[in-house]
Coordinates of all heavy atoms in Angstrom, one line a residue:
M265 N 2.5 27.6 66.4 CA 2.1 27.9 65.1 C 3.2 27.3 64.1 O 4.2 26.9 64.6 CB 2.1 29.4 64.9 CG 0.9 30.0 65.8 SD -0.7 29.3 65.7 CE -1.5 30.0 66.9
S266 N 3.0 27.5 62.9 CA 3.7 26.7 62.0 C 4.4 27.4 60.9 O 3.9 28.2 60.3 CB 2.8 25.6 61.3 OG 3.5 24.8 60.3
K267 N 5.6 26.9 60.6 CA 6.5 27.6 59.4 C 6.3 26.4 58.3 O 6.8 26.8 57.2 CB 7.8 27.7 59.8 CG 8.1 28.9 60.9 CD 9.5 29.2 61.1 CE 9.7 30.2 62.0 NZ 11.0 30.6 62.2
N268 N 5.6 25.4 58.6 CA 5.7 24.3 57.5 C 4.2 24.0 57.0 O 4.0 23.0 56.4 CB 6.2 23.1 58.0 CG 7.7 23.3 58.5 OD1 8.4 23.9 57.8 ND2 8.1 22.9 59.7
W269 N 3.4 24.9 57.4 CA 1.9 24.7 57.0 C 1.3 26.1 56.8 O 1.1 26.8 57.9 CB 1.3 23.8 58.1 CG -0.2 23.6 57.8 CD1 -1.3 24.4 57.9 CD2 -0.7 22.4 57.4 NE1 -2.5 23.8 57.7 CE2 -2.2 22.5 57.3 CE3 -0.2 21.0 57.0 CZ2 -3.1 21.5 56.9 CZ3 -1.1 20.2 56.7 CH2 -2.5 20.3 56.6
Y270 N 0.8 26.4 55.7 CA -0.1 27.6 55.6 C -0.7 27.5 54.2 O -0.4 26.8 53.3 CB 0.9 28.8 55.6 CG 2.1 28.8 54.7 CD1 2.1 29.2 53.4 CD2 3.3 28.3 55.3 CE1 3.2 29.1 52.6 CE2 4.4 28.4 54.4 CZ 4.4 28.7 53.2 OH 5.6 28.8 52.5
P271 N -1.8 28.3 54.1 CA -2.6 28.2 52.9 C -1.9 29.0 51.7 O -1.4 30.0 51.8 CB -4.0 28.9 53.2 CG -3.6 29.9 54.3 CD -2.3 29.3 55.0
V272 N -2.5 28.3 50.5 CA -2.0 29.0 49.2 C -3.2 29.2 48.5 O -4.0 28.2 48.2 CB -1.0 28.1 48.5 CG1 -0.7 28.7 47.1 CG2 0.4 27.9 49.4
I273 N -3.5 30.3 47.9 CA -4.7 30.6 47.1 C -4.5 30.5 45.7 O -3.5 31.1 45.1 CB -5.2 32.0 47.4 CG1 -5.1 32.3 48.9 CG2 -6.6 32.2 46.9 CD1 -6.1 31.4 49.8
D274 N -5.4 29.7 45.0 CA -5.4 29.7 43.6 C -6.3 30.8 43.1 O -7.5 30.6 43.1 CB -5.8 28.3 43.1 CG -5.8 28.2 41.6 OD1 -5.6 29.2 40.9 OD2 -6.0 27.0 41.1
Y275 N -5.6 31.8 42.7 CA -6.5 33.1 42.3 C -7.3 32.9 41.0 O -8.0 33.7 40.6 CB -5.5 34.3 42.2 CG -5.2 34.8 43.7 CD1 -3.9 34.4 44.0 CD2 -6.1 35.4 44.5 CE1 -3.5 34.9 45.4 CE2 -5.7 35.9 45.8 CZ -4.4 35.5 46.2 OH -4.0 35.9 47.5
V276 N -6.9 31.8 40.3 CA -7.6 31.6 39.0 C -9.0 31.1 39.3 O -10.0 31.5 38.5 CB -6.8 30.4 38.1 CG1 -7.7 30.2 36.8 CG2 -5.4 31.0 37.8
V277 N -9.2 30.3 40.3 CA -10.5 29.7 40.7 C -11.2 30.5 41.9 O -12.3 30.5 42.2 CB -10.5 28.2 40.9 CG1 -10.1 27.5 39.8 CG2 -9.5 28.0 42.1
C278 N -10.4 31.3 42.6 CA -10.9 32.1 43.7 C -12.0 33.1 43.2 O -11.7 33.8 42.3 CB -9.9 32.8 44.4 SG -10.4 33.9 45.6
A279 N -13.1 33.1 43.9 CA -14.3 34.1 43.5 C -14.2 35.4 44.4 O -15.0 36.1 44.3 CB -15.6 33.4 43.7
E280 N -13.1 35.4 45.3 CA -13.0 36.6 46.1 C -14.3 36.7 47.1 O -14.8 37.9 47.2 CB -12.6 37.8 45.5 CG -11.3 37.6 44.7 CD -10.7 39.0 44.2 OE1 -11.3 39.9 44.6 OE2 -9.7 39.0 43.5
C281 N -14.8 35.6 47.5 CA -16.0 35.7 48.4 C -15.7 36.2 49.8 O -16.7 36.6 50.6 CB -16.7 34.4 48.4 SG -15.9 33.1 49.3
G282 N -14.5 36.0 50.3 CA -14.1 36.5 51.4 C -14.4 35.5 52.7 O -14.0 35.8 53.8
L283 N -15.0 34.3 52.4 CA -15.3 33.4 53.4 C -14.1 32.8 54.1 O -14.1 32.6 55.4 CB -16.0 32.1 52.7 CG -17.5 32.4 52.5 CD1 -18.0 31.2 51.8 CD2 -18.3 32.7 53.7
C284 N -12.9 32.5 53.5 CA -11.8 32.1 54.2 C -11.1 33.2 55.2 O -10.7 32.9 56.2 CB -10.7 31.7 53.1 SG -10.4 33.0 51.9
V285 N -11.2 34.4 54.7 CA -10.7 35.5 55.5 C -11.6 35.6 56.8 O -11.1 35.8 57.9 CB -10.7 36.9 54.9 CG1 -10.2 38.0 55.7 CG2 -9.9 36.9 53.4
K286 N -12.9 35.5 56.6 CA -13.8 35.6 57.8 C -13.7 34.3 58.8 O -13.9 34.6 59.9 CB -15.2 35.6 57.1 CG -16.3 36.1 58.1 CD -17.6 36.2 57.4 CE -18.7 36.5 58.4 NZ -20.1 36.6 57.6
K287 N -13.3 33.2 58.1 CA -13.2 31.9 58.8 C -12.1 31.9 59.7 O -12.1 31.3 60.9 CB -13.2 30.8 57.9 CG -13.1 29.5 58.6 CD -14.4 29.2 59.2 CE -14.3 27.8 59.8 NZ -15.6 27.4 60.6
C288 N -10.9 32.5 59.3 CA -9.6 32.3 60.2 C -9.6 33.3 61.3 O -9.6 34.5 61.1 CB -8.5 32.4 59.2 SG -7.0 32.3 60.2
P289 N -9.5 32.7 62.6 CA -9.3 33.7 63.7 C -7.8 33.8 64.1 O -7.6 34.5 65.1 CB -10.0 32.8 64.8 CG -9.7 31.4 64.5 CD -9.6 31.4 62.9
H290 N -7.0 33.4 63.2 CA -5.6 33.6 63.6 C -4.8 34.5 62.9 O -3.6 34.6 62.9 CB -4.9 32.2 63.3 CG -5.5 31.0 64.2 ND1 -5.2 30.8 65.5 CD2 -6.4 30.2 63.8 CE1 -5.9 29.8 65.9 NE2 -6.6 29.3 64.9
N291 N -5.5 35.5 62.2 CA -4.8 36.6 61.5 C -3.8 36.3 60.4 O -2.9 36.9 60.2 CB -4.2 37.5 62.5 CG -5.1 38.1 63.6 OD1 -6.2 38.5 63.2 ND2 -4.8 38.0 64.9
V292 N -4.1 35.1 59.8 CA -3.3 34.7 58.8 C -3.6 35.5 57.5 O -2.6 35.9 56.8 CB -3.5 33.1 58.4 CG1 -2.7 32.8 57.2 CG2 -3.1 32.3 59.6
Y293 N -4.8 35.8 57.3 CA -5.2 36.7 56.2 C -5.2 38.2 56.5 O -5.5 38.5 57.7 CB -6.6 36.3 55.6 CG -6.6 34.9 55.0 CD1 -7.1 33.8 55.9 CD2 -6.2 34.6 53.7 CE1 -7.3 32.5 55.4 CE2 -6.3 33.3 53.3 CZ -6.8 32.3 54.1 OH -6.8 31.1 53.5
D294 N -5.0 39.0 55.7 CA -5.1 40.5 55.7 C -6.6 41.0 55.7 O -7.0 40.9 54.6 CB -4.2 41.2 54.7 CG -4.2 42.8 55.0 OD1 -4.9 43.1 55.8 OD2 -3.3 43.3 54.4
V295 N -7.2 41.3 56.8 CA -8.5 41.6 56.8 C -8.8 42.9 56.1 O -10.0 43.2 55.5 CB -9.2 41.7 58.2 CG1 -9.2 40.3 58.9 CG2 -8.4 42.7 59.0
R296 N -7.7 43.6 56.0 CA -7.9 45.0 55.2 C -8.1 44.8 53.7 O -8.6 45.6 53.0 CB -6.8 45.9 55.5 CG -6.7 46.3 57.1 CD -5.3 46.8 57.3 NE -4.3 46.1 57.0 CZ -3.0 46.4 57.1 NH1 -2.6 47.5 57.6 NH2 -2.0 45.4 56.8
K297 N -7.8 43.5 53.3 CA -7.8 43.4 51.7 C -9.1 42.5 51.5 O -9.3 42.3 50.3 CB -6.5 42.6 51.4 CG -5.2 43.3 51.5 CD -5.0 44.3 50.4 CE -3.8 45.1 50.7 NZ -2.6 44.4 50.9
A298 N -9.9 42.1 52.5 CA -11.1 41.3 52.2 C -12.0 42.0 51.3 O -12.1 43.3 51.5 CB -11.7 41.1 53.6
P299 N -12.7 41.3 50.5 CA -12.8 39.9 50.5 C -11.8 39.2 49.7 O -11.7 38.0 49.6 CB -14.2 39.7 49.7 CG -14.3 40.9 48.8 CD -13.6 42.0 49.6
T300 N -10.8 39.9 49.2 CA -9.6 39.3 48.5 C -8.8 38.5 49.6 O -8.4 39.1 50.5 CB -8.9 40.4 47.8 OG1 -9.6 40.9 46.8 CG2 -7.7 39.6 47.0
P301 N -8.5 37.2 49.5 CA -7.7 36.5 50.5 C -6.2 36.7 50.0 O -5.6 36.4 49.1 CB -8.0 35.2 50.2 CG -8.4 35.1 48.8 CD -9.1 36.3 48.3
V302 N -5.5 37.5 51.1 CA -4.2 37.8 51.0 C -3.5 37.2 52.3 O -3.8 37.7 53.4 CB -3.8 39.3 50.9 CG1 -2.3 39.6 50.8 CG2 -4.6 39.8 49.6
V303 N -2.6 36.1 52.1 CA -2.0 35.6 53.3 C -0.8 36.5 53.7 O 0.1 36.7 52.9 CB -1.5 34.2 52.8 CG1 -0.6 33.6 54.0 CG2 -2.6 33.2 52.6
V304 N -0.9 37.0 54.8 CA 0.1 37.9 55.3 C 0.9 37.4 56.6 O 2.0 37.8 56.8 CB -0.4 39.3 55.8 CG1 -0.7 40.1 54.5 CG2 -1.5 39.3 56.8
N305 N 0.2 36.6 57.3 CA 1.0 35.9 58.4 C 1.0 34.4 58.4 O 0.3 33.6 59.1 CB 0.2 36.4 59.8 CG 0.4 37.8 60.1 OD1 1.5 38.3 59.9 ND2 -0.8 38.5 60.3
P306 N 1.6 33.8 57.3 CA 1.5 32.4 57.1 C 2.0 31.5 58.3 O 1.5 30.5 58.6 CB 2.5 32.1 56.0 CG 3.3 33.3 55.8 CD 2.5 34.6 56.4
Y307 N 2.9 32.1 59.1 CA 3.4 31.4 60.3 C 2.5 31.4 61.4 O 2.7 30.6 62.4 CB 4.9 32.0 60.6 CG 5.9 31.9 59.6 CD1 7.1 32.6 59.8 CD2 5.7 31.0 58.5 CE1 8.0 32.5 58.8 CE2 6.7 31.1 57.5 CZ 7.9 31.7 57.6 OH 8.7 31.7 56.7
D308 N 1.4 32.1 61.4 CA 0.4 32.0 62.4 C -0.6 31.0 62.1 O -1.6 30.7 62.9 CB -0.4 33.3 62.6 CG 0.6 34.4 63.3 OD1 1.5 33.9 63.9 OD2 0.3 35.5 63.1
C309 N -0.6 30.3 60.9 CA -1.6 29.3 60.5 C -1.3 28.1 61.5 O 0.0 27.8 61.9 CB -1.2 28.9 59.1 SG -2.4 27.7 58.5
V310 N -2.3 27.4 61.8 CA -2.2 26.2 62.7 C -1.8 25.0 62.0 O -2.6 24.5 61.1 CB -3.4 26.0 63.5 CG1 -3.4 24.9 64.4 CG2 -3.8 27.3 64.2
Q311 N -0.7 24.3 62.4 CA -0.4 23.0 61.6 C -1.6 22.1 61.7 O -2.3 21.8 62.7 CB 0.7 22.3 62.5 CG 1.2 21.0 62.0 CD 2.2 21.1 60.8 OE1 2.9 22.1 60.7 NE2 2.0 20.2 59.9
G312 N -2.0 21.6 60.5 CA -3.0 20.6 60.4 C -4.3 21.2 60.2 O -5.4 20.4 59.9
C313 N -4.6 22.6 60.3 CA -5.9 23.1 60.2 C -6.3 23.1 58.8 O -5.5 23.6 57.9 CB -5.9 24.5 60.8 SG -7.5 25.3 60.7
H314 N -7.6 22.8 58.4 CA -8.1 23.0 57.1 C -9.3 23.8 57.0 O -10.2 23.8 56.3 CB -8.5 21.6 56.5 CG -7.3 20.7 56.2 ND1 -7.2 19.6 56.9 CD2 -6.5 20.8 55.2 CE1 -6.1 18.8 56.4 NE2 -5.6 19.7 55.3
G315 N -9.5 24.7 58.2 CA -10.7 25.4 58.4 C -11.1 26.3 57.2 O -12.3 26.2 56.8
C316 N -10.2 27.1 56.7 CA -10.4 28.0 55.6 C -10.7 27.0 54.2 O -11.6 27.4 53.5 CB -9.5 29.0 55.4 SG -7.8 28.5 55.3
G317 N -9.9 26.0 54.2 CA -10.0 25.2 52.9 C -11.4 24.5 52.8 O -11.9 24.3 51.8
N318 N -11.8 24.1 54.1 CA -13.1 23.4 54.1 C -14.3 24.4 53.8 O -15.3 24.0 53.3 CB -13.3 22.8 55.5 CG -12.5 21.5 55.7 OD1 -12.1 20.9 54.7 ND2 -12.1 21.2 56.9
R319 N -14.1 25.6 54.0 CA -15.1 26.6 53.9 C -15.1 27.0 52.4 O -16.2 27.5 51.8 CB -15.0 27.8 54.8 CG -15.9 28.9 54.6 CD -17.3 28.4 54.9 NE -17.5 27.9 56.2 CZ -17.9 28.6 57.2 NH1 -18.0 29.9 57.2 NH2 -18.2 28.0 58.4
C320 N -14.2 27.0 51.6 CA -14.0 27.7 50.4 C -14.9 26.9 49.4 O -14.7 25.6 49.1 CB -12.5 27.5 49.8 SG -12.4 28.1 48.2
P321 N -15.8 27.6 48.8 CA -16.7 26.9 47.7 C -16.1 26.6 46.5 O -16.8 25.9 45.8 CB -17.8 28.1 47.6 CG -17.1 29.3 47.9 CD -16.1 29.1 48.9
N322 N -14.9 27.1 46.2 CA -14.4 26.8 44.8 C -13.2 26.0 45.0 O -12.5 25.7 43.9 CB -14.0 28.2 44.3 CG -15.1 28.9 43.8 OD1 -16.4 28.7 44.1 ND2 -15.0 30.0 43.0
G323 N -12.8 25.4 46.1 CA -11.5 24.5 46.2 C -10.4 25.3 45.9 O -9.4 24.7 45.3
A324 N -10.4 26.5 46.2 CA -9.1 27.4 45.7 C -8.1 27.4 46.7 O -6.9 28.0 46.4 CB -9.7 28.9 45.6
I325 N -8.2 26.7 47.8 CA -7.2 26.7 48.9 C -6.5 25.3 49.1 O -7.3 24.3 49.2 CB -7.7 27.1 50.2 CG1 -8.3 28.4 50.1 CG2 -6.7 27.1 51.3 CD1 -9.1 29.0 51.3
T326 N -5.1 25.2 49.0 CA -4.4 24.1 49.4 C -3.4 24.6 50.5 O -3.3 25.7 50.7 CB -3.8 23.5 48.1 OG1 -2.9 24.5 47.4 CG2 -4.8 22.9 47.1
Y327 N -2.6 23.6 51.0 CA -1.7 24.1 52.0 C -0.3 23.6 51.7 O -0.2 22.3 51.4 CB -2.3 23.4 53.3 CG -3.5 23.9 53.7 CD1 -4.6 23.2 53.2 CD2 -3.6 25.0 54.4 CE1 -6.0 23.8 53.6 CE2 -4.9 25.6 54.8 CZ -6.0 25.0 54.4 OH -7.2 25.5 54.6
V328 N 0.6 24.5 52.0 CA 2.0 24.0 51.9 C 2.3 23.1 53.1 O 1.8 23.2 54.1 CB 3.0 25.2 52.2 CG1 4.4 24.9 52.4 CG2 2.9 26.2 50.9
G329 N 2.8 21.9 52.8 CA 3.2 20.9 53.8 C 2.1 19.9 54.0 O 2.4 19.1 54.9
D330 N 1.0 20.0 53.2 CA 0.0 19.0 53.5 C 0.2 17.7 52.9 O 0.3 17.6 51.7 CB -1.4 19.7 53.1 CG -2.6 18.9 53.5 OD1 -2.3 17.8 54.1 OD2 -3.7 19.4 53.2
N331 N 0.4 16.6 53.6 CA 0.6 15.2 53.1 C -0.4 14.4 53.8 O -0.3 13.2 53.9 CB 2.0 14.8 53.3 CG 2.4 14.7 55.0 OD1 1.5 15.1 55.7 ND2 3.6 14.2 55.2
T332 N -1.6 15.0 54.3 CA -2.6 14.3 54.9 C -3.6 13.5 54.0 O -4.4 12.7 54.4 CB -3.4 15.2 55.7 OG1 -4.3 16.1 54.9 CG2 -2.6 16.0 56.7
G333 N -3.5 13.9 52.6 CA -4.5 13.3 51.6 C -5.7 14.1 51.6 O -6.6 13.7 50.8
W334 N -5.9 15.2 52.3 CA -7.0 16.1 52.3 C -7.1 16.7 50.8 O -6.0 17.0 50.3 CB -6.9 17.2 53.3 CG -8.0 18.2 53.2 CD1 -9.0 18.2 53.9 CD2 -7.8 19.6 52.6 NE1 -9.8 19.3 53.7 CE2 -9.1 20.2 52.8 CE3 -7.0 20.1 51.7 CZ2 -9.4 21.5 52.5 CZ3 -7.3 21.3 51.2 CH2 -8.4 22.0 51.5
T335 N -8.2 16.7 50.3 CA -8.5 17.4 49.1 C -9.5 18.5 49.3 O -10.6 18.3 50.1 CB -9.0 16.4 48.0 OG1 -10.1 15.7 48.4 CG2 -7.7 15.5 47.7
P336 N -9.4 19.6 48.6 CA -10.6 20.6 48.8 C -12.0 20.2 48.5 O -12.2 19.6 47.5 CB -10.1 21.8 47.7 CG -8.7 21.4 47.4 CD -8.5 19.9 47.5
P337 N -12.9 20.3 49.5 CA -14.2 19.8 49.4 C -15.1 20.7 48.7 O -16.3 20.5 48.6 CB -14.6 19.6 50.9 CG -13.9 20.6 51.6 CD -12.6 20.8 50.9
N338 N -14.6 21.9 48.3 CA -15.4 22.9 47.6 C -16.7 23.3 48.5 O -17.8 23.4 48.0 CB -16.0 22.4 46.3 CG -14.9 22.2 45.3 OD1 -13.6 22.4 45.7 ND2 -15.1 21.8 44.0
G339 N -16.4 23.6 49.8 CA -17.3 24.1 50.6 C -18.2 23.0 51.4 O -19.1 23.3 52.1
D340 N -18.2 21.8 51.0 CA -19.0 20.8 51.5 C -18.8 20.2 52.8 O -19.5 19.5 53.4 CB -19.2 19.6 50.5 CG -20.0 19.9 49.2 OD1 -20.7 20.9 49.2 OD2 -19.7 19.2 48.2
N341 N -17.6 20.7 53.4 CA -17.2 20.2 54.6 C -16.8 21.4 55.5 O -15.8 21.3 56.3 CB -15.9 19.3 54.4 CG -15.4 18.6 55.8 OD1 -16.4 18.3 56.6 ND2 -14.2 18.2 55.8
E342 N -17.6 22.4 55.5 CA -17.2 23.6 56.3 C -17.3 23.4 57.8 O -16.5 24.2 58.4 CB -18.3 24.7 55.9 CG -19.7 24.6 56.4 CD -20.6 25.7 56.0 OE1 -20.6 26.0 54.8 OE2 -21.4 26.1 56.8
E343 N -17.9 22.4 58.3 CA -17.8 22.1 59.8 C -16.9 21.0 60.1 O -16.9 20.3 61.1 CB -19.2 22.0 60.4 CG -20.1 23.2 60.2 CD -19.5 24.6 60.7 OE1 -18.7 24.4 61.6 OE2 -19.9 25.6 60.1
G344 N -16.3 20.4 59.0 CA -15.6 19.2 59.2 C -14.3 19.3 60.1 O -13.8 20.4 60.4
D345 N -14.0 18.1 60.7 CA -12.9 18.0 61.5 C -11.5 18.0 60.8 O -11.4 17.1 60.0 CB -13.1 16.8 62.4 CG -11.9 16.6 63.3 OD1 -11.1 17.5 63.5 OD2 -11.9 15.5 64.1
C346 N -10.7 18.9 61.0 CA -9.5 19.0 60.4 C -8.4 18.4 61.2 O -7.2 18.2 60.6 CB -9.1 20.4 59.9 SG -8.6 21.5 61.2
G347 N -8.6 18.2 62.4 CA -7.6 17.5 63.2 C -6.5 18.3 63.7 O -5.6 17.7 64.4
C348 N -6.6 19.6 63.8 CA -5.5 20.4 64.3 C -5.6 20.6 65.8 O -4.5 21.0 66.3 CB -5.4 21.8 63.5 SG -6.5 22.9 64.3
G349 N -6.7 20.4 66.4 CA -6.8 20.6 67.8 C -6.9 21.9 68.4 O -6.9 22.2 69.6
C350 N -7.0 22.8 67.5 CA -7.1 24.2 67.9 C -8.6 24.5 68.5 O -9.4 23.9 68.2 CB -6.9 25.1 66.6 SG -7.6 26.8 66.8
D351 N -8.5 25.4 69.5 CA -9.9 25.7 70.2 C -10.3 27.0 69.8 O -11.1 27.7 70.7 CB -9.8 25.4 71.6 CG -8.8 26.4 72.3 OD1 -8.1 27.1 71.6 OD2 -8.7 26.2 73.5
R352 N -9.9 27.7 68.8 CA -10.3 29.2 68.5 C -11.2 29.3 67.4 O -11.4 30.4 66.7 CB -9.0 29.8 68.2 CG -8.0 29.9 69.3 CD -6.8 30.7 69.2 NE -7.1 32.1 68.8 CZ -6.1 33.0 68.5 NH1 -5.0 32.6 68.4 NH2 -6.5 34.2 68.1
G353 N -12.0 28.3 67.1 CA -13.2 28.5 66.3 C -12.9 28.5 64.7 O -13.7 29.1 63.9
C354 N -11.8 27.8 64.3 CA -11.6 27.9 62.8 C -12.0 26.5 62.3 O -11.7 26.3 61.1 CB -10.1 28.1 62.5 SG -9.0 27.0 63.4
G355 N -13.1 26.0 62.9 CA -13.7 24.8 62.2 C -12.9 23.6 62.4 O -13.2 22.6 61.8
C356 N -12.1 23.6 63.5 CA -11.3 22.4 63.6 C -11.4 21.7 64.9 O -10.9 20.8 65.3 CB -9.8 22.7 63.4 SG -9.3 24.3 64.1
E357 N -12.3 22.2 65.7 CA -12.6 21.4 67.0 C -13.3 20.1 66.8 O -13.9 20.0 65.9 CB -13.5 22.2 67.9 CG -12.8 23.6 68.5 CD -13.0 24.6 67.4 OE1 -13.7 24.5 66.4 OE2 -12.4 25.7 67.6
Ligands
SF4_170 S1 -8.5 28.8 59.1 FE1 -6.9 27.5 59.8 S2 -5.9 26.7 57.9 FE2 -6.9 28.7 57.3 S3 -5.4 30.2 57.6 FE3 -6.6 30.0 59.5 S4 -5.4 28.6 60.9 FE4 -4.7 28.4 58.8
SF4_171 S1 -13.2 31.1 50.3 FE1 -12.2 30.4 48.4 S2 -13.3 31.5 46.7 FE2 -13.8 32.6 48.8 S3 -12.2 34.2 49.0 FE3 -11.4 32.4 49.9 S4 -10.1 31.4 48.5 FE4 -11.5 32.7 47.3

């Protein structure tokens, strides 16, 4: 897991739909606060994963440490390959 990669929520554009919380199987978000996305375990985020950011319909998620050139697709790439290699169902296989 990574100390150099984790999601940051732009609460100005976040609609609090909860899709990102639902998407992540790594307990990065506090499920008790859903649908509001609250990052509580940033170090459990998977380096290179864009699973929640690909799902977000509002482009509200970016990543600390991301220099991949990825830009928020506003939900249009929800099954897209983010390249992290994780096999736990966060949309990155
Ligand atoms: S879905 Fe991926 S990028 Fe989003 S918080 Fe979970 S591990 Fe990190
Ligand atoms: S998927 Fe996007 S709009 Fe929905 S709660 Fe997460 S950050 Fe907010």
